[in-house]
């Protein structure tokens, strides 16, 4: 008579647990076109899609923080007129944002 084997199965609703405490899981729905573009970009940059999304979000957040800081600085200045950054300054800021995060930090360290 064959022996019955008992398998301990996890419930279908259980999800893999990430061992790192500093990571949050997040489900993201994308339009198919955006998914395909992101897939191509991440492949071209030799990154996982997750790493590419993280990097792009970090760049966006840094850019927004820089913009917020610049706006706050202009608002607190005592000048009677408001000056917008020149096109060359904006182009330089875009180039800075395009750099990988570690290169951005290294450049900012050198400039400080």
């Amino acid at each position: 008579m064959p022996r019955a084997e008992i398998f301990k199965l996890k419930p279908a609703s259980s999800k893999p647990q990430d061992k790192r405490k500093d990571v949050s899981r997040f489900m993201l729905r994308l339009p198919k076109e955006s998914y395909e573009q992101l897939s191509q970009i991440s492949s071209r940059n030799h990154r996982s899609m997750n790493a590419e999304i993280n990097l792009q979000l970090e760049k966006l957040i840094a850019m927004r923080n820089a913009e917020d800081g610049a706006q706050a600085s202009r608002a607190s200045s005592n000048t009677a007129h408001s000056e917008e950054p020149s096109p060359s300054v904006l182009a330089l800021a875009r180039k800075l944002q395009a750099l990988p995060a570690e290169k951005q930090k290294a450049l900012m360290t050198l400039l400080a």
Side-chain angles (χ1 to χ4, degrees):
M1 181 181 261
R3 277 184 20 193
E5 294 187 35
I6 299 174
F7 294 98
K8 202 171 196 180
L9 299 176
K10 293 181 182 177
S13 64
S14 73
K15 295 181 181 175
Q17 295 295 317
D18 199 317
K19 302 284 188 233
R20 297 175 296 174
K21 300 290 183 196
D22 63 333
V23 175
S24 296
R25 296 179 63 88
F26 180 76
M27 173 69 79
L28 178 65
R29 290 185 179 92
L30 291 172
K32 188 173 183 174
E33 183 178 313
S34 297
Y35 177 88
E36 290 169 356
Q37 288 175 343
L38 183 60
S39 177
Q40 291 172 357
I41 292 168
S42 62
S43 292
R44 187 172 52 238
N45 292 330
H46 305 288
R47 294 186 190 102
S48 68
M49 288 180 66
N50 188 66
E52 190 68 41
I53 290 169
N54 283 324
L55 178 65
Q56 295 302 328
L57 285 174
E58 287 173 7
K59 286 181 182 180
L60 178 63
I61 290 168
M63 184 175 71
R64 293 278 170 90
N65 287 341
E67 289 173 357
D68 290 347
Q71 288 175 355
S73 176
R74 283 195 300 267
S76 66
S77 72
N78 293 331
T79 59
H81 63 284
S82 172
E83 291 185 32
E84 292 297 318
S86 68
S88 60
V89 170
L90 292 173
L92 184 60
R94 283 191 294 273
K95 287 181 181 180
L96 176 65
Q97 300 305 323
L99 291 173
E102 56 274 358
K103 287 188 178 183
Q104 288 180 17
K105 289 177 186 176
L107 182 58
M108 296 309 286
T109 301
L110 287 173
L111 294 173

